[in-house]
Amino acid sequence: MKNFVFALILLACVGTSTASQDSDFLIAREAFQSGNAKRLDESAARLKRHVLWPYVDYYQQRMLLRTTDTAAIRHFLLRYDGDHVADRLRSDWLKVLGKNQQWPLFEAEYPLLVNKDTELQCYYYQRQLDHKDISVLPDIRALWLTPTSLPDSCTPVFQSLIYGGQLTADDIWKRIRLALEEGQTGVATHVNRYLSGNETLNSADLNNAAKNPLRYLDTLNRAIRTRSDREIVLFSLLRLLRNDTNQAYMQWSKVKNQLTASDRSYFLARLGYRAAMRHDSRALDWFREAQNTTQMYPPSDLVLGWQARAALRVGDWDEVLRTINRMSMKEQQVDTWRYWKARALLVKGHTLDANTMLIPLSNEHSFYGQLAREELGAILTIADKTYRVNNAEVAAMERNPGIQRALAFSRMNLRTEAMREWSWTIRNFSDAELLAAAEVARRQGLYDRAINTANRTVTQHDFSLRFLSPHREMLRKVLQQHELDEAWVYGLIRQESRFIADIKSHAGAAGLMQLMPATAEWVAKQLGIPNFRQSLVVDVNTNLRLGTYYLKHVLGTLDNQPLLASAAYNAGPGRARRWRDNTVPLEGAIYAETIPFNETRDYVKKVLKNSMYYAKVLDHRNEPTLKQRLGVVRAAK
């Protein structure tokens, strides 16, 4: 009994000590962020034995980086060789070296860096160009065509190529067009300074077009002659096109004859792209017109993707096949287009060619991997306990310093730091190590880390870790009330929150089922929850009650189709209805693939994929196939 009491006292003391040291660490972190070196040093003196001491050491070194000698920095890098803090300090140091053009040190340290960002890549390009290394030119040209702002370290790189004639005036205009496509007028103006003579972008016209594109086009009282005129007119049309296809098309009809054939091809492709996203029946005609101009503007994979989707909506399989074949080789390898190309080949009777694509795709654990498997006549199976880690493996993983640091960050609710340390630590793990780390995370209640880590395995899997089912008894009770499919609801929660109970999105959605405040309040009234307040939404039981009620409500208003309800849960019921075809039923997979919002399209496919795996992991019997879950979406009218 005395030993038991002593153990309790010891545990209490350890807990108190840990909490105290955690408080000191948070003080040190805040001191570092605010640049208070004195306060940082005071806290550091009490943290020598803390698991996060390497970070405190990093904070101190980072604050003195510009004045610390090379030997001290290298001693730190050696002391923490292989750790995340070493890579962070090396990155910080390299930026100082690059800015000061201390090239011998930069060249020695840069190859040792793991996480290379664009700023450092551009310092590297600066040095390679000094060495006349032309092998970096393709990478620099690709970077040049970035539509958004780039670090200052990239400016000398681009200037070198421009002044050397390796980036031409046409390349400058290409980047201006890409920037204007994205509404990045500041970038376009910045890039414009590299043009000379009368061929520069007219800044006053650009500003007017940005403020009111319709007024700019309506009051355009001169001929469109220069490249600047054409680009600003196209920019204005694109701005209109973002909101209204018909208005943009009407203005286009007025100016198209003053544009070059290439410009006409470019805009028609963008017109088709926006129309396809809006499920406008004219989209394919505009895509084809863009292709049939005398000087076709090369369409991007993004545009071609929506051309293929428009063809899917109308069942034009020849067009689907032609369009996919025009995509870049990299884009053609995306599972989406491998599947739809195989489907097009099947329609055309090329079964052998189709199966050659479907067989390897069917081995992938993805939405289209499952559909490929079903297309081949197989059903989803998961290996029975392919690899289960034992307690010794878990105990060894718990002793890993990087895992311990990540857990300490999580304990203090520092999720960003925890994720970065965790991701760094597991980056080169074997499958067995990944599963051991996932199990450590699961036991700590860090379900998002457990799922994401188990997802990384290549040949040895444990699907019970990939598809965790926490709070099952609690969920079962509310599911019985609403007669909802457990596998589907788990698949949705996994995608919404990764089972982080208190998570909040930037938009304000909260809890396991990511309820918006207005939705939560509405459901609480329907359920008659007394004294409801928004803080209750992160309570697991309350969140599940509210979320499942709303999901059942949405399902009932959308033909009891989980596909439509999943889309509605993410983007709203009105949008889910509008995305149906007006006149003909749509295959569920085509409906899902032609959802215009990237986030919702990805979300819906993952929720339905998750549902299939949960049905297996939870040992459900006689579950529908993925095609059956997707169903056929009836016409809107």
Side-chain angles (χ1 to χ4, degrees):
M1 184 66 179
K2 288 181 180 179
N3 288 339
F4 177 70
V5 172
F6 177 76
L8 287 177
I9 294 171
L10 183 62
L11 283 171
C13 291
V14 170
T16 302
S17 174
T18 299
S20 176
Q21 285 221 317
D22 283 355
S23 295
D24 283 333
F25 176 80
L26 291 171
I27 291 169
R29 177 176 174 270
E30 191 279 330
F32 167 67
Q33 291 174 337
S34 62
N36 191 332
K38 181 180 178 183
R39 196 176 187 200
L40 173 58
D41 291 341
E42 290 171 354
S43 300
R46 300 188 295 272
L47 289 165
K48 296 284 186 181
R49 300 176 67 83
H50 194 275
V51 67
L52 292 176
W53 167 252
Y55 279 85
V56 180
D57 200 358
Y58 164 78
Y59 296 156
Q60 291 180 305
Q61 291 290 335
R62 181 64 183 83
M63 290 189 74
L64 299 172
L65 187 59
R66 295 180 186 278
T67 58
T68 304
D69 61 35
T70 299
I73 296 171
R74 282 193 161 150
H75 183 61
F76 177 95
L77 296 176
L78 184 62
R79 188 159 65 248
Y80 299 112
D81 185 36
D83 288 346
H84 187 223
V85 289
D87 203 60
R88 280 185 65 178
L89 190 72
R90 179 172 277 117
S91 176
D92 298 333
W93 187 32
L94 280 164
K95 287 173 183 176
V96 173
L97 296 175
K99 188 173 183 179
N100 295 335
Q101 298 196 336
Q102 294 174 267
W103 297 123
L105 279 173
F106 184 93
E107 289 177 313
E109 294 295 330
Y110 184 77
L112 303 175
L113 185 70
V114 175
N115 292 325
K116 298 178 172 73
D117 61 19
T118 304
E119 181 181 355
L120 285 173
Q121 286 175 334
C122 280
Y123 281 129
Y124 169 74
Y125 294 148
Q126 284 185 40
R127 191 55 178 157
Q128 295 311 105
L129 291 176
D130 288 344
H131 289 315
K132 311 299 183 186
D133 179 6
I134 62 171
S135 67
V136 297
L137 293 181
D139 290 338
I140 296 173
R141 289 184 64 85
L143 184 63
W144 167 254
L145 295 175
T146 302
T148 52
S149 181
L150 291 167
D152 290 343
S153 60
C154 299
T155 300
V157 176
F158 297 143
Q159 287 176 339
S160 177
L161 267 63
I162 290 167
Y163 300 150
Q166 290 143 314
L167 283 175
T168 64
D170 193 50
D171 293 319
I172 296 168
W173 280 112
K174 278 182 184 176
R175 189 171 180 207
I176 288 173
R177 178 173 288 187
L178 289 170
L180 293 178
E181 266 182 25
E182 299 297 321
Q184 297 284 329
T185 55
V187 173
T189 302
H190 176 79
V191 173
N192 183 50
R193 63 184 179 154
Y194 295 121
L195 294 169
S196 58
N198 296 325
E199 280 299 302
T200 58
L201 199 63
N202 187 310
S203 298
D205 284 350
L206 180 62
N207 288 334
N208 290 333
K211 289 176 184 176
N212 193 324
L214 183 59
R215 181 189 298 167
Y216 174 79
L217 290 169
D218 278 341
T219 58
L220 190 65
N221 53 15
R222 66 175 188 275
I224 301 171
R225 292 194 180 92
T226 68
R227 181 71 184 261
S228 174
D229 291 339
R230 302 199 322 265
E231 294 298 338
I232 295 174
V233 164
L234 289 170
F235 168 64
S236 301
L237 291 169
L238 292 181
R239 295 272 288 182
L240 292 177
L241 188 54
R242 283 181 175 273
N243 298 313
D244 191 326
T245 307
N246 291 329
Q247 189 178 60
Y249 185 69
M250 186 167 60
Q251 291 293 329
W252 155 253
S253 300
K254 296 176 184 178
V255 299
K256 63 181 181 180
N257 292 331
Q258 296 186 67
L259 300 175
T260 66
S262 177
D263 290 341
R264 291 196 296 273
S265 173
Y266 166 78
F267 181 74
L268 284 165
R270 301 299 297 189
L271 186 61
Y273 160 67
R274 287 291 175 183
M277 290 180 72
R278 293 172 182 141
H279 304 148
D280 188 320
S281 61
R282 297 169 292 180
L284 280 178
D285 289 336
W286 286 327
F287 280 127
R288 289 167 183 147
E289 192 178 348
Q291 292 166 216
N292 292 332
T293 56
T294 54
Q295 290 178 294
M296 186 184 73
Y297 189 88
S300 65
D301 285 332
L302 176 67
V303 168
L304 289 170
W306 277 100
Q307 185 170 348
R309 292 183 180 101
L312 283 172
R313 295 274 298 194
V314 299
D316 188 340
W317 293 100
D318 286 333
E319 185 71 23
V320 170
L321 193 57
R322 281 194 300 269
T323 304
I324 294 173
N325 285 336
R326 292 174 62 209
M327 295 176 183
S328 68
M329 291 307 299
K330 180 180 178 181
E331 186 70 11
Q332 288 187 48
Q333 294 309 307
V334 173
D335 61 351
T336 302
W337 305 124
R338 283 186 286 152
Y339 175 78
W340 289 115
K341 182 174 181 177
R343 285 284 304 276
L345 289 169
L346 284 173
V347 170
K348 292 175 68 64
H350 302 309
T351 306
L352 185 60
D353 290 339
N355 288 347
T356 300
M357 302 187 73
L358 290 170
I359 290 169
L361 180 57
S362 70
N363 294 318
E364 298 178 15
H365 303 294
S366 65
F367 176 81
Y368 282 114
Q370 290 180 45
L371 285 178
R373 194 176 297 113
E374 292 177 11
E375 206 65 49
L376 292 166
I379 60 172
L380 174 66
T381 58
I382 57 176
D384 185 25
K385 299 180 182 178
T386 302
Y387 192 92
R388 277 293 171 88
V389 294
N390 57 47
N391 287 332
E393 290 173 297
V394 175
M397 187 56 63
E398 288 173 335
R399 294 190 295 271
N400 182 293
I403 297 296
Q404 291 180 344
R405 288 192 289 270
L407 294 178
F409 278 128
S410 294
R411 184 175 67 231
M412 288 180 273
N413 205 30
L414 299 174
R415 284 184 178 143
T416 300
E417 286 99 326
M419 183 184 68
R420 287 172 180 166
E421 180 66 40
W422 186 277
S423 298
W424 173 271
T425 300
I426 69 169
R427 71 194 191 285
N428 294 322
F429 274 8
S430 66
D431 283 352
E433 289 171 321
L434 286 169
L435 293 175
E439 177 61 15
V440 169
R442 186 195 68 79
R443 293 183 184 186
Q444 292 288 330
L446 301 173
Y447 301 126
D448 60 323
R449 292 294 92 210
I451 291 168
N452 293 344
T453 303
N455 266 348
R456 293 168 60 99
T457 56
V458 179
T459 58
Q460 295 177 306
H461 310 300
D462 184 345
F463 286 93
S464 68
L465 283 171
R466 284 195 184 198
F467 297 92
L468 290 174
S469 52
H471 317 300
R472 193 174 184 192
E473 288 306 312
M474 202 179 297
L475 181 60
R476 273 180 163 174
K477 291 178 183 178
V478 294
L479 291 180
Q480 287 169 1
Q481 297 171 21
H482 303 304
E483 297 181 333
L484 288 171
D485 174 27
E486 182 184 35
W488 175 46
V489 176
Y490 260 123
L492 184 141
I493 297 174
R494 183 184 188 269
Q495 195 58 32
E496 284 286 350
S497 66
R498 285 292 198 267
F499 304 102
I500 303 173
D502 61 348
I503 193 169
K504 291 187 178 180
S505 73
H506 294 300
L512 291 179
M513 297 189 72
Q514 287 290 278
L515 292 159
M516 293 295 288
T519 302
E521 188 171 349
W522 178 80
V523 175
K525 287 180 180 178
Q526 307 307 306
L527 293 174
I529 297 177
N531 303 316
F532 175 76
R533 54 193 184 278
Q534 289 297 331
S535 59
L536 292 174
V537 178
V538 296
D539 172 72
V540 171
N541 186 51
T542 303
N543 191 277
L544 291 176
R545 287 180 66 197
L546 298 173
T548 52
Y549 180 95
Y550 179 66
L551 186 60
K552 178 66 174 181
H553 167 74
V554 169
L555 182 67
T557 63
L558 290 165
D559 302 334
N560 287 309
Q561 283 193 283
L563 167 62
L564 293 176
S566 298
Y569 198 90
N570 182 263
R575 291 190 179 102
R577 292 188 186 94
R578 286 198 298 274
W579 294 335
R580 297 178 297 187
D581 192 90
N582 283 331
T583 56
V584 298
L586 277 179
E587 178 187 337
I590 292 177
Y591 174 94
E593 186 52 51
T594 57
I595 289 172
F597 294 177
N598 293 339
E599 178 193 320
T600 306
R601 184 168 63 254
D602 182 63
Y603 172 91
V604 166
K605 290 190 286 190
K606 285 179 177 174
V607 167
L608 273 295
K609 177 208 74 172
N610 293 347
S611 303
M612 295 295 295
Y613 280 99
Y614 270 112
K616 293 296 179 183
V617 168
L618 300 175
D619 202 26
H620 289 188
R621 304 294 181 184
N622 302 316
E623 282 293 304
T625 65
L626 180 54
K627 279 196 171 187
Q628 288 169 340
R629 286 181 183 273
L630 289 164
V632 175
V633 178
R634 69 176 178 84
K637 296 178 181 177

